[in-house]
Amino acid sequence: MSKADPLRTIPMFNSLTAKDRRKMAGEVVETRYGKGDYIFREGDPAEAFHILKEGSVKCVKSSPDGKEVTLKVLMPGDLFCCAASVFDGATHPGCAQPIGNVSVLRLSKKAYFDLLRRNPDAAFEVIKYLGNRLSEAQENAKVLALDRAEQRLASLLIKLSSRAGVREADGIRLTVRLTRQDLADMAGVAVETATRIMGQFKRARLVSGTAKRLVIHNLGRLEQLMLSASSSSK
Amino acid sequence: MSKADPLRTIPMFNSLTAKDRRKMAGEVVETRYGKGDYIFREGDPAEAFHILKEGSVKCVKSSPDGKEVTLKVLMPGDLFCCAASVFDGATHPGCAQPIGNVSVLRLSKKAYFDLLRRNPDAAFEVIKYLGNRLSEAQENAKVLALDRAEQRLASLLIKLSSRAGVREADGIRLTVRLTRQDLADMAGVAVETATRIMGQFKRARLVSGTAKRLVIHNLGRLEQLMLSASSSSK
DNA sequence: CTAAAAACATGACCTTGGTCATGTTTTGAA
DNA sequence: TTCAAAACATGACCAAGGTCATGTTTTTAG
């Protein structure tokens, strides 16, 4: 990995001049995490700005009784959910766990502030990014509030295929390793429900495989399913 | 209302100098809406930056089969959900409807961009605002994914009491008029479920009244309810 | 290669809360 | 004040999906 310019692949730094980017590069600390690690935990003070460089990370919130929701799976280039908590000196609203091996860039509060202050375009990028994440979160809320399990899973697979999918001979393969439990936590259903519905999908040749290699064969049909009314079409 | 400085009461403009603020004031258009109006609809192109000045507004998304979720109730000073869609030339991700009579400030795309470019602190405010809204949305997703109806309603009432409540002799009165249907749409449950649970709460002296005048008598107990585990406490 | 652990799968049962139906009360406009 | 419309309330029924139990397959570490 080019130690010289670790920011090269991060869209949010595109607007910087090469010079500014080199300067930033000096401030950035790269850290690697593996299975079982926490990048940070819910409630930890948010003291730095994080960007995902390599691998994937899940942002998780958990309830007192041990259940979990996965709010978001980050892909390389993503800012961490809490990009803004840093401002208020607030704590992290959820925890971040690597999926497999990952590499994270960390920028100090001060450097982050400086960057934004001196570079309006970077601030624009952050605003745009947060705005997109907000609509995403709202779309998600809609799904959680109105859709039933089958539709939730369908939406989820569609979203994943566009964010983490690569075309292959027999369909779209997800480049991130997600167990049925992970899918369940993202869709807000029980694991058993997730396996059952993935079973249906599998039987209908819409998908195949499990975490190791999950392929989506029929995106169109999934889209239909996602849109089909919940139950009694009044 | 002071036509001279309509921005006076808007926190996001606090960081501006009086001079800048006066200049902005010239660019801002104030519009009033009433019952039945739409401030904008889902899918409309987002061409201006909106701020709520007076009254309350609900941001709603609806599904093909007529069901609705209310993502957020805006109070005076709030930026509209889609503050960032403006950047991408995207469309509004949801619609905005007044609750009663409201007054909205509208700032052209150009003036908004100028403001942010020339005034890093204003950009910081927007980032901070969006960040808070994002955590809020994520907290909400957690509730929708993990909590059951009773807890959802309890959380909702707690949130409302802090955002739109005023202390009174017998408890905290909500300054925004919300029907059972509104509460249901916010909590992601059916109207009947909302009335039934509000009925329980009423019998337990936790709340009283309906939309016209909704009062929360026992916040503490509601907090307990909100935290109580979903079901089998393993 | 093997053993332990993790992930996947499936059946039986039961609770939550959605749906439908119907009736009452409140609100607001004429 | 009156009357229609909206909001509130409640009961009966039922299905989606959560929970629990158990077994199989896959993955991974040593």
Side-chain angles (χ1 to χ4, degrees), chain A residues 130-231:
Chain A
L130 289 176
N132 287 332
R133 292 289 297 275
L134 186 56
S135 338
E136 213 178 278
Q138 291 179 337
E139 181 59 34
N140 200 229
K142 175 183 152 185
V143 171
L144 288 172
L146 302 180
D147 293 348
R148 50 183 58 217
E150 191 185 54
Q151 295 167 61
R152 294 191 198 184
L153 263 302
S155 318
L156 177 61
L157 292 173
I158 291 166
K159 197 166 64 179
L160 287 171
S161 72
S162 79
R163 294 197 62 247
V166 291
R167 277 229 70 82
E168 288 198 351
D170 54 344
I172 302 167
R173 185 176 54 83
L174 298 189
T175 59
V176 53
R177 191 181 171 133
L178 297 169
T179 66
R180 304 280 129 131
Q181 182 71 63
D182 288 326
L183 295 176
D185 288 349
M186 282 188 251
V189 300
V191 211
E192 294 91 335
T193 303
T195 45
R196 266 185 267 263
I197 290 178
M198 290 300 284
Q200 280 173 220
F201 288 175
K202 203 175 261 186
R203 259 167 265 130
R205 312 272 166 202
L206 306 181
V207 303
S208 70
T210 61
K212 193 73 174 296
R213 178 188 157 78
L214 190 50
V215 182
I216 288 150
H217 299 300
N218 192 338
L219 204 61
R221 185 79 191 89
L222 283 176
E223 267 154 9
Q224 262 175 260
L225 275 180
M226 173 182 76
L227 294 173
S228 68
S230 306
S231 52

Side-chain angles (χ1 to χ4, degrees), chain B residues 183-198:
Chain B
L183 296 176
D185 289 349
M186 281 188 253
V189 299
V191 211
E192 295 92 333
T193 304
T195 46
R196 266 186 267 265
I197 290 177
M198 288 301 282

Side-chain angles (χ1 to χ4, degrees), chain B residues 55-123:
Chain B
S56 21
V57 166
K58 52 179 177 173
C59 298
V60 176
K61 256 182 190 273
S62 38
S63 73
D65 57 322
K67 293 182 180 177
E68 301 190 337
V69 223
T70 297
L71 297 168
K72 170 85 176 172
V73 170
L74 303 174
M75 302 300 289
D78 273 324
L79 273 44
F80 279 49
C81 327
C82 45
S85 317
V86 180
F87 275 95
D88 307 38
T91 60
H92 287 292
C95 79
Q97 316 180 248
I99 301 179
N101 292 316
V102 307
S103 159
V104 171
L105 302 180
R106 201 177 258 111
L107 191 60
S108 78
K109 200 166 178 164
K110 182 175 172 307
Y112 174 45
F113 279 30
D114 265 20
L115 173 70
L116 294 186
R117 178 169 297 281
R118 300 189 30 244
N119 209 311
D121 283 330

Side-chain angles (χ1 to χ4, degrees), chain B residues 41-60:
Chain B
R41 287 193 154 82
E42 184 161 355
D44 286 352
E47 282 161 341
F49 180 66
H50 294 77
I51 305 169
L52 181 58
K53 190 182 170 194
E54 258 184 80
S56 21
V57 166
K58 52 179 177 173
C59 298
V60 176

